[in-house]
Amino acid sequence: MIKAVLFDLDGVIVSTDGCHYRAWKRMADEEGIYFDEKINDRLRGVSRMASLEIVLERASRSYTEEEKVALAARKNDYYRDLIRELTPSDILPGAMENLNELKENGILVAVGSSSKNTPLILRRIGLDAFFDAVSDGNNISHSKPDPEVFLKAAEMLGTDPADCLVVEDADAGIEAGRRGGMKTLSVKGAVGADYFAPDLSDYSIFRRIIR
Ligand code: B16
Ligand code: MG
């Protein structure tokens, strides 16, 4: 029986995926590295440094560890400039209605995000005090598809992983949920899930899964 829903942040509750794209693209262009939306799709749910390695696959020279740290920091500066502009109006359609309905029905809600910028994003969209637990890039050592971020969220909630539903827009995130022994709901075409929805604008989606 589902007792908790663990939400990915970027691409599920708020469209920061576009900001990640613009920040990586700016950094890649400055470095003369080819980067496009298709490559960006491979970065969903993947940690910052692992994302950088994917971006550098197209680089014409190799980078030292020190240079890599500087590149990731530069991208993060560009990204933070963009997310500082977020407001509650950037919460994706249907997300708030579904979150409120889950809470009203006594279902616990948590964030499970690979992003170290989760606290800033939640503050900007006015949800910093909303969730029953927040597990993010700051409290994990292995990013998705490792299940750690979701297992930590379940632990914070005191809920058995088998009673959790993970909502994800990334293939890596769906795999993480499955490896954690949780049920999974895919949005935006992430593959391998138990349930599928185009996005959260369908107000009855959780009612159909959680009976
Ligand atoms: P940061 P999620 C992930 O967040 C993003 O999808 C991924 O593109 C990003 O590289 C990762 O967070 C790390 O983000 O650089 O802010 O720490 O989808 O797991 O909420
Ligand atoms: Mg995501």
Side-chain angles (χ1 to χ4, degrees), residues 7-12 16-17 20 24 40 42-52 72 75-76 79-80 83 111-118 121 137-138 143-144 149-150 168-170 173:
F7 289 85
D8 171 48
L9 185 61
D10 292 324
V12 172
T16 38
D17 43 349
H20 278 297
W24 282 122
N40 189 62
R42 291 172 57 205
L43 312 183
R44 290 179 195 278
V46 176
S47 73
R48 197 179 308 161
M49 291 312 286
S51 294
L52 177 68
K75 180 266 173 179
N76 195 49
Y79 178 64
R80 285 177 73 93
I83 59 175
V111 168
S113 167
S114 303
S115 177
K116 292 187 169 161
N117 290 301
T118 295
I121 296 168
N138 299 297
S143 87
K144 303 164 188 175
V149 74
F150 293 127
E168 263 288 351
D169 70 324

Side-chain angles (χ1 to χ4, degrees), residues 33-139:
I33 301 168
Y34 178 79
F35 185 74
D36 63 17
E37 304 249 7
K38 205 162 162 238
I39 300 171
N40 189 62
D41 277 345
R42 291 172 57 205
L43 312 183
R44 290 179 195 278
V46 176
S47 73
R48 197 179 308 161
M49 291 312 286
S51 294
L52 177 68
E53 292 296 340
I54 294 172
V55 173
L56 293 182
E57 284 173 10
R58 294 296 198 103
S60 51
R61 70 167 178 97
S62 58
Y63 287 81
T64 65
E65 281 313 307
E66 209 180 350
E67 285 175 317
K68 286 180 186 176
V69 169
L71 288 180
R74 200 203 304 169
K75 180 266 173 179
N76 195 49
D77 285 345
Y78 297 156
Y79 178 64
R80 285 177 73 93
D81 281 346
L82 295 171
I83 59 175
R84 254 189 280 276
E85 306 298 320
L86 291 173
T87 71
S89 68
D90 291 299
I91 296 173
L92 285 166
M96 222 44 246
E97 290 81 356
N98 273 306
L99 282 165
N100 283 326
E101 186 178 316
L102 287 167
K103 271 193 156 184
E104 280 158 19
N105 286 290
I107 305 288
L108 296 170
V109 291
V111 168
S113 167
S114 303
S115 177
K116 292 187 169 161
N117 290 301
T118 295
L120 171 62
I121 296 168
L122 289 178
R123 261 199 317 278
R124 295 301 311 154
I125 62 175
L127 293 183
D128 44 337
F130 183 88
F131 291 93
D132 298 299
V134 174
S135 174
D136 63 30
N138 299 297
N139 66 274

